[in-house]
Amino acid sequence: MPPVLRRVLAGLAALGLVLVALGCAPESLFPPTHQSTVYPETDAARLILDVYRPITWIMVVIFVVVEGLLLYAAIRYRRKPGQQGNPRQIHGNTALEIGWTIIPVVIVIAIAFPTLRNLWALAIPEDPNGEALHIKVVGKQWWWEFEYPEELGVVTANELHLPADRLVVLELTSDNIIHSFWVPRLSGKRDLVPGRSQAIWFTTPSEPAMYYGQCAELCGPSHALMRFRVFVDGPEEFAAWAAKEAGPTVVPSTMESDGPAAMIAGGCVACHKIDFEGSFFQSRLGPILTHVGSRSTIAGGILDNTPDNMAEWIRFPERLKPGALMPNNDWLTDEQVDTIVAYLQSLE
Ligand code: CUA
């Protein structure tokens, strides 16, 4: 074996070892990240990974072979000392050309089988007994609205609660431009297209947990700030959450009380709904705030729900989320902002 070839093979072996080591690395070295498709938690996400994994390994083999041949040729046939002129020029090689036409065709056909099989498996499953939980997801500029079935009567924003171990069908649409719903560990991506509804499904994990989601379609200056969270709850927790969310706020509120009055002065009433007896806060332009105090985040999942963050958000939404429909309110006095924040934080 020529020494060059030996060196190339040694290099390839080392590369292979590194790849295998990465593939076999314990989770402690590469913990499942919050938004990782290679740590699926649902049946639907596993169907996707079942296609993704073999394709990835086929690509790794192709990469190693092609790069190996390239390196071998570059080193083995490099210009030697004293060599003059161009090397011998070669044109056309029928065997090679047939080979590199047929091999890709075979690979594409091999990939097509699992792809089609799982694509069909991902069609919305029949649900004759109506066991699935159907939730309408509306992409907003730039946040998410989740509308639960009528019998639950829940509409909420940016934090999707789901019962554990339940078939869920999400019906996706948008009231502005195209967005894309993506919770990598729960399902694949699906666009939210204005004027039409497209669905995805998955069976929620059996253990309560939180999963990160993200808009996956470039939709404007705050595309990267269009986040959301999915909370998988135990059955009792979910029922309790839904019962609370469906009702009006438990904070005693009247139109004259400090919080609502300050929110009218601030113009918040034009866009937000807060449900209490005799409430004028009925607009659905912005996120519903009836139970906003119980959410872990605000502003489409970009800020932890703390009084300071909320005050900053009320004053400068255009700075924190460029292009957001909510205008800056830096003209409000500190006292007004504090009153609004204290009221909203109390809305559990
Ligand atoms: Cu919505 Cu990107």
Side-chain angles (χ1 to χ4, degrees):
M1 190 186 291
V4 194
L5 186 57
R6 227 178 298 159
R7 252 174 277 162
V8 170
L9 284 178
L12 283 178
L15 178 64
L17 274 179
V18 170
L19 287 170
V20 169
L22 287 176
C24 304
E27 286 194 6
S28 54
L29 193 57
F30 292 102
T33 56
H34 290 301
Q35 300 196 57
S36 170
T37 50
V38 296
Y39 294 104
E41 290 287 343
T42 69
D43 38 9
R46 265 176 229 115
L47 282 170
I48 294 167
L49 183 63
D50 284 347
V51 177
Y52 178 69
R53 191 187 283 122
I55 291 177
T56 303
W57 283 112
I58 291 171
M59 296 312 146
V60 168
V61 171
I62 292 173
F63 174 80
V64 170
V65 168
V66 171
E67 288 302 308
L69 289 172
L70 194 70
L71 285 174
Y72 171 73
I75 297 170
R76 173 81 177 75
Y77 298 105
R78 71 192 188 281
R79 186 187 288 266
K80 310 264 174 353
Q83 238 173 13
Q84 294 295 324
N86 286 332
R88 186 164 62 88
Q89 301 297 298
I90 300 164
H91 299 278
N93 182 316
T94 311
L96 270 182
E97 279 165 20
I98 290 174
W100 63 51
T101 304
I102 287 178
I103 293 171
V105 170
V106 171
I107 292 171
V108 169
I109 290 172
I111 290 172
F113 279 102
T115 306
L116 288 174
R117 185 193 62 209
N118 289 15
L119 210 54
W120 277 311
L122 281 166
I124 300 302
E126 302 218 355
D127 182 28
N129 302 322
E131 277 155 11
L133 176 61
H134 288 255
I135 298 171
K136 186 177 168 194
V137 178
V138 186
K140 302 279 187 168
Q141 196 174 328
W142 282 273
W143 55 283
W144 307 82
E145 189 174 73
F146 304 115
E147 198 173 333
Y148 289 69
E150 224 163 280
E151 59 270 24
L152 288 176
V154 174
V155 180
T156 189
N158 301 323
E159 298 196 352
L160 178 65
H161 283 253
L162 300 172
D165 209 11
R166 175 93 180 262
L167 176 61
V168 174
V169 177
L170 301 176
E171 281 140 23
L172 312 169
T173 188
S174 164
D175 75 350
N176 48 98
I177 58 169
I178 297 177
H179 303 277
S180 176
F181 182 94
W182 196 29
V183 191
R185 299 186 68 183
L186 300 185
S187 81
K189 298 172 190 167
R190 179 57 56 90
D191 280 359
L192 300 93
V193 182
R196 58 179 289 177
S197 177
Q198 330 200 75
I200 51 170
W201 67 271
F202 51 85
T203 307
T204 53
S206 49
E207 293 300 320
M210 190 271 281
Y211 299 95
Y212 285 94
Q214 165 74 53
C215 180
E217 175 80 39
L218 181 61
C219 57
S222 285
H223 155 67
L225 304 176
M226 190 170 169
R227 301 180 202 156
F228 60 102
R229 290 172 186 211
V230 178
F231 293 86
V232 173
D233 301 329
E236 291 90 36
E237 287 75 26
F238 177 76
W241 174 85
K244 188 205 70 183
E245 283 285 322
T249 166
V250 293
V251 179
S253 303
T254 64
M255 293 308 296
E256 292 76 33
S257 43
D258 291 353
M263 290 184 72
I264 289 172
C268 319
V269 67
C271 299
H272 292 285
K273 178 170 173 164
I274 304 175
D275 190 12
F276 59 85
E277 179 78 35
S279 172
F280 292 161
F281 290 80
Q282 295 297 341
S283 173
R284 290 271 296 271
L285 281 177
I288 289 181
L289 300 178
T290 307
H291 300 282
V292 68
S294 65
R295 288 186 204 139
S296 59
T297 57
I298 55 167
I302 61 169
L303 298 172
D304 286 336
N305 188 6
T306 65
D308 284 350
N309 283 345
M310 193 179 260
E312 183 77 358
W313 171 250
I314 289 170
R315 288 194 179 96
F316 303 111
E318 290 170 20
R319 181 196 297 166
L320 295 164
K321 187 172 265 195
L325 296 180
M326 179 159 150
N328 279 349
N329 294 295
D330 44 346
W331 52 275
L332 291 171
T333 65
D334 288 353
E335 199 190 338
Q336 282 174 308
V337 172
D338 290 347
T339 305
I340 293 171
V341 169
Y343 176 65
L344 292 177
Q345 291 287 324
S346 75
L347 298 178
E348 289 284 323

